[in-house]
Every structure is written in structure tokens, then in C-alpha cells.
Amino acid sequence: MKALGAEPNLVIYNTLLDAMGRAKRPCNGLSPSWVTYAALLWAFSRARYDDDALNVYKEMKEKGMQLNVILFNTILAMCADVGYIEEVVEIFEDLKRSDTKPDSWTFSSMMTIYSYSGNVSEAEAMLNEMLEAGFEPNIFILTSLIQCYRKFKRIVDIVTVRTFNQLLELGISPDERLYGCLLNVMTQTPKEKLDKLMGCIDKANSKLGQVVKLLLEEDDGNDNFKKEASELFDKIGADLRFTSQWSLNLKGLSLVATLTALHVWINDLSKVLESGEEFPPLLGINTGHGKHKYSDKGLASVFESLLKELNAPFHEASNKAGWFFTSKVATKSWLESRSSSELVAA
């Protein structure tokens, strides 16, 4: 290939590495080294080739090869992403038996797998182990823990408030992901127990708190709600335009938060169209890697149905799992048709 000036692609590289890693006899007097296995493990894990990555990991164990914390974290993150709970636990125990010490990324992967699979006691134990090791949880870990608590509806309001206060004590600023998580908890909490949760939302985002209060007050006039909601969504829209106007990252969000973010983003794009600003050639939406072992459906499959309902021109990419793309021309045409429909309906 080099002689012909042809560039090898990822498939060729992976095939070459795979052949080297699976070689059962020396080739030209050489056998795979630790570096070879490390490269294989890292590549397969990053590409989410789960079976291949786990096979390489087992071979390294059998040969007595020591993994560093980066390699442990890489394969733990892959297992967490695809929902391999038993494998995560086994690998973490291997890590603790080795000379390698876990770091904050290690605990983050463990918290992710336990939280999203609903293992509350294991998630709490892992959080305590993380704190004892001298690492502070970040907003992603605490948000996933709140999502985990939703499994126990009788006490979800109590433990959510406790976790939220812990987040503030650590000096962590709430973000949109946490807002969506708190709103999800509220949908599962009886109205008479919402006061403390409302206090959390007020502290996190006072404008959002006003909107939620108006939603809960049955006798409140509709005009006040529209005013508060409009101001809130305008603010969110401005933030999204600044950071991710041409792509929307929904990975890790709940369905409710996904719907909210999508509608805000569409509203923002409509404003761009009205202003006459130029669109980029390509627009994308990232929903993550799709189906998880502990979930009936991945966000990508649910999101695809939603896009069809909206008649949106986004189509799932064949070479990038969880991504939906569309062109500038298709986007502008779709937004214009939506605007026309809204005018007719008005």
C-alpha cells in the first residue's frame, strides 16, 4: 500500500492489530509485547468492540501482564457504556488486587454503571469508597446518583435533596443536565412532598423555579406562565447558540431532558433562519451509542421515532453510532415549512 501511495483506513489498522494480537506463534522470531496488547486493548475499547477488547484483556491477564490505570479506565468506560455490569465488577476487583490505584475516572465509570442499572446500594458504597480514597465526585456522578434514586419512589425526594445539598457543599454549579434530572424526580413525587424539591430547583435556577411554580399553581393565569417560560427558553437558547449552534449533544440525557433540549434547539435554529444568518453545510445531533444492556431501547432508537413525528430531515449516520445528520438546504426547507404551518394554524 505504501508503494502505491494508498492510505490504510481504520479497518485495515484494526485488522492488522487484531492479527498480531491473536497470533499463536512467533512471526519472524517476534511475538506480541505488552505495548502491542496495550495498543489493541485501547483501540478496541475506544471503538467499542466489546468482545475483542475483553478477549485482549483476558489474554493479558493469562500472560500476567500488568495494566496501568489508563488501560483499566479505558476498558471500564467501555463496559459501562455497553452495560456489562458483571464484567465491570470483575475488572474493578482485578484492579484493586493489582498494584494499580484507581483514580477519579475509575470511580466515575463504576458510579455510572451502578447508577444507570439502578443498583442504589452499590452506587452509594462506591461513592463512599471514592470519598475515602480522597476523590470528590463531579456533577455527572451526583446527577447519575439522583437518577438512580428514582427507583425508590417512596424516598426519592429525601435522597435527592440530600445529594443536591452535597453538590452545593462541594462548590459544584448546577447545569442543564441536573435541571432535567430534578424535573424528572418531581414527576414521580406526590404534590404534598414537592416543597423541598422546589427549593432545590430555585437554588439551581431561579427562573426555572418560577416556571415550575406557575405550572403547579392551577389557578394561575396562563399569561404569567408564558412570560416566565419565554424568558427562560430565550436564555437557554442563547446559551445553546453560543456553544453548540450547529450540533446538539443529547448523550446521557433523560427522555424528558432530551425533548426539552431538542425543542429549544429547533426554536433557536428558527431564530437564526429569521435573522438571515448563514447555516453551516452540515448539522448534527448526538444521542450516544444507542441500546444499553440494561435498557429496553437506546435513546437513538427512540429519538429516530421522534424525528419522524416532527418530519425532521435528520438521518442516522451509518458510520457514527448515535449521530443524526442533515444538510443546510434540508434544514432551511424544513424550518420554513414549520413556520408556514404555524402561521396557517394561527
Side-chain angles (χ1 to χ4, degrees), residues 27-163:
C27 180
N28 294 330
L30 299 174
S31 59
S33 66
W34 182 93
V35 175
T36 309
Y37 279 103
L40 275 169
L41 184 61
W42 186 87
F44 284 141
S45 297
R46 295 278 293 179
R48 297 304 183 256
Y49 294 165
D50 44 279
D51 289 337
D52 293 315
L54 289 171
N55 286 335
V56 173
Y57 176 74
K58 289 174 184 176
E59 283 195 38
M60 293 184 76
K61 280 180 62 178
E62 291 170 0
K63 293 179 181 293
M65 294 182 176
Q66 176 71 31
L67 273 69
N68 58 31
V69 71
I70 296 174
L71 290 177
F72 269 119
N73 287 345
T74 303
I75 192 169
L76 281 172
M78 180 207 71
C79 290
D81 274 356
V82 298
Y84 285 174
I85 302 174
E86 293 179 2
E87 288 81 354
V88 163
V89 175
E90 180 184 341
I91 293 170
F92 185 67
E93 290 301 318
D94 289 343
L95 184 155
K96 291 198 292 185
R97 286 192 292 267
S98 72
D99 296 329
T100 304
K101 300 295 182 183
D103 62 11
S104 59
W105 289 103
T106 313
F107 289 111
S108 179
S109 292
M110 297 304 297
M111 287 293 298
T112 297
I113 195 72
Y114 283 139
S115 296
Y116 283 95
S117 59
N119 295 323
V120 174
S121 58
E122 290 87 347
E124 289 186 328
M126 189 56 58
L127 178 62
N128 290 333
E129 189 172 341
M130 181 180 186
L131 293 170
E132 289 172 3
F135 298 106
E136 291 187 350
N138 56 30
I139 191 166
F140 301 106
I141 290 175
L142 295 176
T143 299
S144 66
L145 185 59
I146 292 175
Q147 291 174 333
C148 183
Y149 285 142
R150 291 165 54 199
K151 180 179 179 181
F152 295 94
K153 296 182 180 180
R154 290 184 295 105
I155 60 169
V156 67
D157 56 322
I158 299 173
V159 291
T160 296
V161 172
R162 185 182 69 194
T163 305

Side-chain angles (χ1 to χ4, degrees), residues 13-25:
Y13 275 121
N14 284 342
T15 303
L16 179 60
L17 282 173
D18 185 44
M20 292 172 63
R22 295 175 186 274
K24 298 300 181 182
R25 57 186 177 82

Side-chain angles (χ1 to χ4, degrees), residues 92-336:
F92 185 67
E93 290 301 318
D94 289 343
L95 184 155
K96 291 198 292 185
R97 286 192 292 267
S98 72
D99 296 329
T100 304
K101 300 295 182 183
D103 62 11
S104 59
W105 289 103
T106 313
F107 289 111
S108 179
S109 292
M110 297 304 297
M111 287 293 298
T112 297
I113 195 72
Y114 283 139
S115 296
Y116 283 95
S117 59
N119 295 323
V120 174
S121 58
E122 290 87 347
E124 289 186 328
M126 189 56 58
L127 178 62
N128 290 333
E129 189 172 341
M130 181 180 186
L131 293 170
E132 289 172 3
F135 298 106
E136 291 187 350
N138 56 30
I139 191 166
F140 301 106
I141 290 175
L142 295 176
T143 299
S144 66
L145 185 59
I146 292 175
Q147 291 174 333
C148 183
Y149 285 142
R150 291 165 54 199
K151 180 179 179 181
F152 295 94
K153 296 182 180 180
R154 290 184 295 105
I155 60 169
V156 67
D157 56 322
I158 299 173
V159 291
T160 296
V161 172
R162 185 182 69 194
T163 305
F164 178 81
N165 288 334
Q166 183 180 11
L167 181 146
L168 295 182
E169 289 170 4
L170 290 170
I172 300 173
S173 300
D175 64 3
E176 289 79 5
R177 187 172 304 201
L178 179 63
Y179 304 155
C181 190
L182 290 173
L183 291 173
N184 276 332
V185 172
M186 290 189 71
T187 63
Q188 301 180 18
T189 304
K191 193 170 182 178
E192 61 272 14
K193 293 184 177 181
L194 289 176
D195 288 346
K196 291 183 178 179
L197 288 173
M198 275 304 310
C200 293
I201 291 179
D202 270 333
K203 290 178 183 178
N205 187 314
S206 59
K207 183 60 67 175
L208 177 60
Q210 288 297 318
V211 171
V212 175
K213 284 178 183 177
L214 291 170
L215 281 171
L216 295 174
E217 294 172 2
E218 297 177 350
D219 298 329
D220 189 85
N222 195 39
D223 290 341
N224 285 336
F225 169 72
K226 285 184 176 180
K227 178 177 179 295
E228 296 288 348
S230 177
E231 290 179 6
L232 172 67
F233 292 141
D234 282 346
K235 181 180 184 301
I236 294 176
D239 292 342
L240 286 175
R241 279 185 59 185
F242 181 74
T243 58
S244 57
Q245 183 174 344
W246 312 123
S247 64
L248 181 64
N249 185 15
L250 303 175
K251 185 178 179 180
L253 296 184
S254 67
L255 184 56
V256 173
T258 293
L259 293 173
T260 302
L262 176 62
H263 284 291
V264 169
W265 195 59
I266 292 172
N267 181 59
D268 189 53
L269 292 177
S270 297
K271 290 180 179 178
V272 174
L273 180 67
E274 292 172 6
S275 69
E277 292 181 44
E278 188 63 24
F279 281 77
L282 196 67
L283 292 91
I285 300 173
N286 181 18
T287 63
H289 285 286
K291 188 173 181 180
H292 290 274
K293 205 174 182 181
Y294 43 78
S295 176
D296 293 334
K297 286 185 177 181
L299 180 58
S301 60
V302 177
F303 192 71
E304 187 173 16
S305 299
L306 175 61
L307 291 175
K308 289 180 180 178
E309 290 179 14
L310 295 173
N311 198 29
F314 291 86
H315 301 285
E316 189 167 12
S318 59
N319 60 341
K320 295 190 72 173
W323 273 92
F324 292 79
F325 291 106
T326 189
S327 66
K328 171 178 68 174
V329 175
T331 301
K332 293 176 72 174
S333 176
W334 174 59
L335 292 172
E336 288 168 354

